Short mmCIF file of all heavy atoms in Angstrom, two decimals:
data_model
loop_
_atom_site.label_atom_id
_atom_site.label_comp_id
_atom_site.label_asym_id
_atom_site.label_seq_id
_atom_site.Cartn_x
_atom_site.Cartn_y
_atom_site.Cartn_z
N PRO U 492 -7.98 -13.33 5.74
CA PRO U 492 -8.20 -13.87 7.08
C PRO U 492 -8.54 -15.35 7.11
O PRO U 492 -8.25 -16.03 8.09
CB PRO U 492 -9.36 -13.01 7.61
CG PRO U 492 -9.22 -11.71 6.88
CD PRO U 492 -8.76 -12.10 5.50
N GLN U 493 -9.16 -15.86 6.04
CA GLN U 493 -9.49 -17.28 6.02
C GLN U 493 -8.22 -18.13 6.01
O GLN U 493 -8.12 -19.13 6.72
CB GLN U 493 -10.36 -17.60 4.79
CG GLN U 493 -11.76 -17.02 4.84
CD GLN U 493 -11.80 -15.54 4.51
OE1 GLN U 493 -11.00 -15.03 3.71
NE2 GLN U 493 -12.72 -14.82 5.12
N GLN U 494 -7.22 -17.74 5.20
CA GLN U 494 -5.96 -18.47 5.23
C GLN U 494 -5.28 -18.32 6.59
O GLN U 494 -4.77 -19.30 7.15
CB GLN U 494 -4.99 -18.01 4.14
CG GLN U 494 -3.68 -18.80 4.21
CD GLN U 494 -2.58 -18.31 3.29
OE1 GLN U 494 -2.72 -17.29 2.63
NE2 GLN U 494 -1.48 -19.03 3.24
N LEU U 495 -5.27 -17.11 7.12
CA LEU U 495 -4.63 -16.89 8.41
C LEU U 495 -5.28 -17.73 9.51
O LEU U 495 -4.60 -18.23 10.40
CB LEU U 495 -4.68 -15.41 8.79
CG LEU U 495 -3.99 -14.42 7.83
CD1 LEU U 495 -3.97 -13.03 8.43
CD2 LEU U 495 -2.59 -14.87 7.48
N ALA U 496 -6.59 -17.91 9.42
CA ALA U 496 -7.29 -18.74 10.41
C ALA U 496 -6.79 -20.17 10.37
O ALA U 496 -6.56 -20.80 11.42
CB ALA U 496 -8.80 -18.70 10.16
N GLY U 497 -6.60 -20.70 9.18
CA GLY U 497 -6.10 -22.06 9.05
C GLY U 497 -4.65 -22.20 9.47
O GLY U 497 -4.27 -23.17 10.13
N GLU U 498 -3.85 -21.20 9.10
CA GLU U 498 -2.43 -21.25 9.48
C GLU U 498 -2.26 -21.11 10.99
O GLU U 498 -1.37 -21.74 11.59
CB GLU U 498 -1.66 -20.14 8.77
CG GLU U 498 -1.70 -20.18 7.24
CD GLU U 498 -0.97 -21.37 6.64
OE1 GLU U 498 -0.44 -22.22 7.38
OE2 GLU U 498 -0.94 -21.46 5.40
N LEU U 499 -3.12 -20.32 11.64
CA LEU U 499 -3.05 -20.19 13.09
C LEU U 499 -3.43 -21.50 13.77
O LEU U 499 -2.83 -21.89 14.76
CB LEU U 499 -3.96 -19.05 13.56
CG LEU U 499 -3.91 -18.73 15.06
CD1 LEU U 499 -2.51 -18.32 15.49
CD2 LEU U 499 -4.92 -17.64 15.42
N MET U 500 -4.42 -22.19 13.22
CA MET U 500 -4.78 -23.51 13.73
C MET U 500 -3.59 -24.46 13.64
O MET U 500 -3.26 -25.16 14.60
CB MET U 500 -5.96 -24.08 12.96
CG MET U 500 -6.36 -25.50 13.39
SD MET U 500 -7.55 -26.29 12.26
CE MET U 500 -6.45 -26.69 10.86
N ASN U 501 -2.94 -24.49 12.47
CA ASN U 501 -1.77 -25.36 12.30
C ASN U 501 -0.69 -25.06 13.33
O ASN U 501 -0.11 -25.96 13.94
CB ASN U 501 -1.19 -25.19 10.90
CG ASN U 501 -1.95 -25.97 9.83
OD1 ASN U 501 -2.60 -26.96 10.13
ND2 ASN U 501 -1.89 -25.51 8.60
N SER U 502 -0.44 -23.77 13.53
CA SER U 502 0.62 -23.35 14.45
C SER U 502 0.30 -23.71 15.89
O SER U 502 1.17 -24.23 16.62
CB SER U 502 0.84 -21.83 14.33
OG SER U 502 1.75 -21.36 15.29
N MET U 503 -0.91 -23.47 16.32
CA MET U 503 -1.26 -23.68 17.73
C MET U 503 -1.56 -25.14 18.05
O MET U 503 -1.26 -25.61 19.15
CB MET U 503 -2.45 -22.79 18.11
CG MET U 503 -2.15 -21.30 18.03
SD MET U 503 -3.56 -20.26 18.53
CE MET U 503 -3.63 -20.58 20.30
N ALA U 504 -2.17 -25.84 17.12
CA ALA U 504 -2.59 -27.23 17.40
C ALA U 504 -1.56 -28.25 16.94
O ALA U 504 -1.71 -29.44 17.23
CB ALA U 504 -3.93 -27.51 16.71
N GLY U 505 -0.55 -27.80 16.20
CA GLY U 505 0.45 -28.74 15.70
C GLY U 505 -0.06 -29.60 14.56
O GLY U 505 0.45 -30.69 14.32
N THR U 506 -1.06 -29.10 13.84
CA THR U 506 -1.59 -29.83 12.70
C THR U 506 -0.82 -29.42 11.43
O THR U 506 -0.05 -28.47 11.44
CB THR U 506 -3.09 -29.55 12.52
OG1 THR U 506 -3.32 -28.12 12.50
CG2 THR U 506 -3.89 -30.15 13.68
N ASP U 507 -1.05 -30.15 10.37
CA ASP U 507 -0.36 -29.90 9.11
C ASP U 507 -1.37 -30.02 7.97
O ASP U 507 -1.36 -30.97 7.20
CB ASP U 507 0.79 -30.89 8.92
CG ASP U 507 1.59 -30.64 7.65
OD1 ASP U 507 1.51 -29.52 7.10
OD2 ASP U 507 2.28 -31.57 7.19
N VAL U 508 -2.27 -29.05 7.90
CA VAL U 508 -3.32 -29.04 6.88
C VAL U 508 -2.90 -28.07 5.79
O VAL U 508 -2.62 -26.90 6.06
CB VAL U 508 -4.68 -28.64 7.50
CG1 VAL U 508 -5.78 -28.70 6.45
CG2 VAL U 508 -5.03 -29.54 8.68
N LEU U 509 -2.85 -28.53 4.57
CA LEU U 509 -2.36 -27.75 3.43
C LEU U 509 -3.37 -26.69 3.00
O LEU U 509 -4.55 -26.98 2.80
CB LEU U 509 -2.07 -28.68 2.25
CG LEU U 509 -1.64 -28.02 0.94
CD1 LEU U 509 -0.26 -27.39 1.08
CD2 LEU U 509 -1.67 -29.03 -0.20
N HIS U 510 -2.89 -25.46 2.81
CA HIS U 510 -3.75 -24.39 2.31
C HIS U 510 -3.88 -24.47 0.80
O HIS U 510 -2.89 -24.60 0.07
CB HIS U 510 -3.16 -23.02 2.68
CG HIS U 510 -3.93 -21.88 2.09
ND1 HIS U 510 -3.33 -20.91 1.30
CD2 HIS U 510 -5.25 -21.55 2.15
CE1 HIS U 510 -4.24 -20.04 0.92
NE2 HIS U 510 -5.40 -20.41 1.42
N VAL U 511 -5.12 -24.39 0.32
CA VAL U 511 -5.41 -24.37 -1.11
C VAL U 511 -6.18 -23.09 -1.41
O VAL U 511 -7.36 -22.97 -1.06
CB VAL U 511 -6.24 -25.60 -1.54
CG1 VAL U 511 -6.50 -25.56 -3.05
CG2 VAL U 511 -5.55 -26.89 -1.14
N PRO U 512 -5.53 -22.08 -2.02
CA PRO U 512 -6.22 -20.82 -2.29
C PRO U 512 -7.12 -20.90 -3.52
O PRO U 512 -6.77 -21.56 -4.50
CB PRO U 512 -5.07 -19.84 -2.52
CG PRO U 512 -3.96 -20.69 -3.06
CD PRO U 512 -4.10 -22.03 -2.39
N TYR U 513 -8.25 -20.25 -3.43
CA TYR U 513 -9.18 -20.16 -4.56
C TYR U 513 -9.39 -18.70 -4.92
O TYR U 513 -9.06 -17.80 -4.14
CB TYR U 513 -10.53 -20.78 -4.19
CG TYR U 513 -10.55 -22.29 -4.23
CD1 TYR U 513 -9.90 -23.04 -3.25
CD2 TYR U 513 -11.21 -22.97 -5.24
CE1 TYR U 513 -9.90 -24.43 -3.29
CE2 TYR U 513 -11.23 -24.36 -5.29
CZ TYR U 513 -10.58 -25.08 -4.31
OH TYR U 513 -10.58 -26.44 -4.36
N ARG U 514 -9.95 -18.47 -6.08
CA ARG U 514 -10.29 -17.11 -6.49
C ARG U 514 -11.74 -16.83 -6.14
O ARG U 514 -12.61 -16.78 -6.99
CB ARG U 514 -10.05 -16.94 -8.00
CG ARG U 514 -8.58 -17.01 -8.39
CD ARG U 514 -8.38 -16.74 -9.86
NE ARG U 514 -6.97 -16.74 -10.22
CZ ARG U 514 -6.51 -16.54 -11.44
NH1 ARG U 514 -7.36 -16.32 -12.44
NH2 ARG U 514 -5.21 -16.55 -11.69
N GLY U 515 -11.97 -16.70 -4.86
CA GLY U 515 -13.32 -16.40 -4.40
C GLY U 515 -13.84 -17.44 -3.43
O GLY U 515 -13.38 -18.59 -3.40
#
Side-chain angles (χ1 to χ4, degrees):
Q493 291 77 32
Q494 180 187 6
L495 300 188
E498 301 292 2
L499 184 60
M500 177 191 74
N501 280 335
S502 174
M503 295 181 70
T506 52
D507 182 19
V508 183
L509 176 68
H510 175 236
V511 181
Y513 282 72
R514 292 184 177 179

